């Protein structure tokens, strides 16, 4: 498996699922919301809990073997400035623009009607961590922390 191919799979899966309103599948754990995608031998699942504040995990399998995973925790800091719906609209639009560049990591900024989106990360597909933020009128109103990388036996 080439890391560039894995990066492309992760981007395609993310684009198809959360951003693209992907296929909702049966809950993998009690109370979870799950989205799934597949392409040839590759499978992807995003499974999360919550809504306004949420916690989840994305996993990629090649055949029957898990090869990559990412954990994330998102939260509204200032409900007086942004709600879950407007935060979601901002995130989907910003991520759509980033995925169009063929990536899901690295510095990225985007401005929309509900706020200014910023993503900062360190590392690459094999080992990374980062944070996304939405600022409303210069005030940090939403945050999400994530980390992940290769899964090895």
């Amino acid at each position: 498996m080439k890391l560039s191919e894995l990066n492309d799979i992760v981007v395609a899966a993310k684009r198809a699922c959360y951003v693209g309103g992907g296929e909702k599948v049966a809950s993998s754990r009690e109370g979870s919301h799950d989205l799934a995608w597949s392409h040839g031998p590759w499978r992807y699942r995003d499974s999360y809990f919550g809504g306004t504040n949420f916690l989840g995990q994305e996993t990629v399998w090649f055949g029957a073997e898990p090869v990559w995973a990412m954990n994330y925790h998102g939260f509204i800091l200032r409900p007086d400035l942004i709600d879950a719906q407007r935060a979601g609209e901002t995130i989907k639009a910003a991520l759509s623009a980033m995925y169009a560049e063929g990536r899901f990591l690295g510095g990225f900024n985007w401005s929309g009607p509900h706020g200014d989106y910023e993503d900062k990360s360190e590392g690459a597909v094999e080992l990374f961590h980062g944070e996304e933020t939405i600022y409303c009128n210069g005030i940090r109103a939403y945050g999400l922390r994530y980390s992940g990388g290769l899964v090895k036996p």
Side-chain angles (χ1 to χ4, degrees), residues 67-78:
V67 295
W68 181 91
M70 178 182 108
N71 294 302
Y72 58 87
H73 178 231
F75 39 89
I76 300 288
L77 294 164
R78 294 289 304 267

Side-chain angles (χ1 to χ4, degrees), residues 73-96:
H73 178 231
F75 39 89
I76 300 288
L77 294 164
R78 294 289 304 267
D80 57 319
L81 298 176
I82 197 163
D83 60 21
Q85 179 180 340
R86 290 181 292 150
E89 290 171 6
T90 300
I91 294 161
K92 285 181 178 183
L95 293 178
S96 290

